[in-house]
Amino acid sequence: MVQGVGFRPFVYGLATRLGLSGFVLNDVAGVLIEVEGAEVDVATLRATLESDTPPLAAVESVREERIPNQGAGSFEIRASSDIGHRRAAVSPDVATCDECLAEVFTPGERRHRYAFTNCTNCGPRFSITRDVPYDRPNTTMASFEMCADCHREYTDPADRRFHAQPIACPACGPSVSLLDGEGSPIEGDAIAGAARLLASGDIVAIKGLGGYHLACDATDERAVAELRVRKGREEKPFALMAPDVETAADLVEMTPEERQLLVSARRPIVLARRGTGGLVASSVAPNNRYLGIMLPYTPLHHLLMAEIGAPIVLTSGNASDEPIAYRDEDALVRLSGLADAFLVHDRPIHVRCDDSIVRIGSGFAFPVRRSRGYAPEPLAVATPFDRAVLAAGPELKHTFCLGVEDRAIVSHHIGDLANFEAMTAFTEGVEHFTKVFDASPEIVAHDLHPDYLATKWAKGQRGVELVGVQHHHAHIAACLADNGRAERVIGLALDGTGFGEDGAIWGCEVFACDFRGYERLAHLSYVPMPGAAMAIREPWRMAAVYLDAALGETASELPLAFVEATRGRWGPILQMAARGINSPATSSAGRLFDAVAALCGLRERVSYEGQAAAELEQIADHSVADGYPCTVAQGVIDGVELIAGVVDDLVSGSPPPAVAARFHNGLANALVVASEQAREATGLTCVALSGGAWQNVMLLDLVSSGLSSADFEVLAHRRVPPNDGGISLGQAVIASARCAGG
Ligand code: ZN
Ligand code: ZN
Ligand code: FE
């Protein structure tokens, strides 16, 4: 990562200090430096290139070559060359640096209150880049002509903005404006105006770095409730932006690691435990002990937040389930019924990029959504790609992945493919990535599910080798690649839904696997899912099925609130299941969590994916250490036995938080036992944890520590999400391994 991060000025400064002559230029492979001078000085420069780089630069490797003396008289920065192999990475967008921030808030500075202030250490990158090399004409800043002052800074090697491609100032750069709900301009200072509207309870659409957000005052119950109604989003938590880290610390209890993530240049949304200060409206995150919180990451956000001085809801600008809006005309149309006003600007966004979400579990940060600030940073992998691979990704939480040489480039978050907007973002994204990373994929990997849109897309590609990859195999491979590993391991793949090779829906699988193949050693006992997708939306169905499996007819006599409330609806469901009508068998961990949540009285229906499981985790009483029994034998983890434990405990009057804890403990113990049996059978001692269920930090902590005490090495996700957002990475490394030598 050497372009757009102040690397050439760094080399220039270094070379001139050492009295060396020659040149430095950006080319499509990275940076090319030619120096001549005293041997010792050249050696110093060579050593410093890897040891003392600018904060945002990352040097993968330095190759050197001796050439005849060119007789250069001085050292200069030359124009970019676009010949050669495109290896140079497009870097992620970077939050405003402290120096730029100080300028923005200093009266009299040229950029005082200027919302597009940036320098070589900060500002937009990925979201404005149309092509490589990363130079102004290849960005959405191409249409803004630099003024004399900006040009002077841009061409002064001693300036912080030397060759800062998005350089701008109030005289020559983009500007903000405030529009009313109909798109007509509102007079006065746009940012102050937007702040006033927010304070009065309005919903304002704000054009940010990677797309539009919808914002409202997070302390205003009425405004937040109104935003939920307009967005069609019933309960899924909203993210917050706090004006500064002190305000954030009032809202959530932050560990030092969480604080560090919050203030980092990547500026993700950090999921942290809610504090006791009741400053935020309860409908921001109903029934949730966590809040997703972030800090301002552009000057526009900083200026706005300074005016408001209180947390705001900042959620993606879309109706529920649609991708975030990012094109101006489109945003005004799509958000017209949702926003009372628009805070917009005229710097185009080339690539839509959602906010990233990060959580801490088993002592490490892991992404729940990897997008702005992270994508498209390449991930080094242990086994190089002999031929370029494109992994088409899953259906939900979609990303795709390009495998080139020793790097995997996982895309930004695309969203759920089952809508036209997301599908377009996917196909345009593939085109963009293959161009800027100069890759012509010869291998295309896809999920085995025939109905996934990404699978259909992959099968429509001509002249490539197609490789179908089982969903949970891809999860475990993603975890291995995430950790820079490639050997055979035990894999615990736990999630909601994945197409199994026996036609069942898998989701709690114990594998022995490497990139080439997998062996299914054990799985959660099968139960039917009456109504298929309906059983995902209505956890009460899974609870009824599990009760029936555990107790048969006597289940309807249980003195439980859940039974009394739902038994009248059981008949048709159980008949459907018994006759095998639209009731696929499943070993899904997600459905087991759903059933337990329903039995505990948490909810009969969910309004977003994973809601019941997330709530079950949240209510669990961490002081309860024992767990329900769960036999693991002949390759089957007995989920029905866990349910029997839940039922007995509830009937005897145990409170749901204790039941939730004993369920987590029981399942965790069973997974450790299953791993021990797998070790006995295979001799493998390393366990990889992947799948959306590992976003559950309680389960992650329990299983990690249980496995460690049983002398296993444990691999969990660090760089890509454990959920389906990481699937494309696993597909890519598996497809490459399968095709190797072929
Ligand atoms: Zn800066
Ligand atoms: Zn200017
Ligand atoms: Fe999955």
Side-chain angles (χ1 to χ4, degrees), residues 39-63:
E39 193 88 26
V40 54
D41 296 326
V42 174
T44 306
L45 178 121
R46 171 67 184 81
T48 316
L49 283 182
E50 281 177 290
S51 65
D52 198 21
T53 53
L56 297 173
V59 177
E60 277 178 15
S61 66
V62 179
R63 282 214 330 258

Side-chain angles (χ1 to χ4, degrees), residues 96-97 100 118-119 121-122 160:
T96 310
C97 73
C100 284
N118 63 75
C119 72
N121 299 321
C122 75
R160 194 170 94 251

Side-chain angles (χ1 to χ4, degrees), residues 4-6 9 56 118-122 125 159-164:
V5 292
L56 297 173
N118 63 75
C119 72
T120 50
N121 299 321
C122 75
R125 300 286 188 275
D159 196 276
R160 194 170 94 251
R161 295 196 169 89
F162 179 64
H163 283 220

Side-chain angles (χ1 to χ4, degrees), residues 364-419:
F364 295 94
F366 65 89
V368 170
R369 181 163 78 201
R370 179 184 181 273
S371 211
R372 186 211 14 102
Y374 294 82
E377 190 173 310
L379 307 171
V381 289
T383 45
F385 297 94
D386 295 336
R387 292 183 284 160
V389 178
L390 176 67
E395 179 84 348
L396 304 177
K397 299 186 167 62
H398 182 268
T399 63
F400 60 89
C401 174
L402 203 54
V404 194
E405 294 165 3
D406 54 352
R407 300 167 303 155
I409 302 137
V410 178
S411 77
H412 50 304
H413 170 80
I414 304 281
D416 298 352
L417 281 193
N419 73 52

Side-chain angles (χ1 to χ4, degrees), residues 124-146:
R125 300 286 188 275
F126 175 55
S127 60
I128 63 164
T129 302
R130 292 195 172 113
D131 202 353
V132 288
Y134 173 70
D135 268 342
R136 192 162 172 113
N138 284 333
T139 71
T140 64
M141 284 298 292
S143 59
F144 296 93
E145 204 181 322
M146 275 179 229

Side-chain angles (χ1 to χ4, degrees), residues 691-713:
W694 298 109
Q695 292 169 100
N696 178 327
V697 166
M698 181 175 191
L699 188 70
L700 178 63
D701 287 345
L702 285 168
V703 173
S704 307
S705 63
L707 287 170
S708 301
S709 331
D711 291 327
F712 284 101
E713 183 191 2

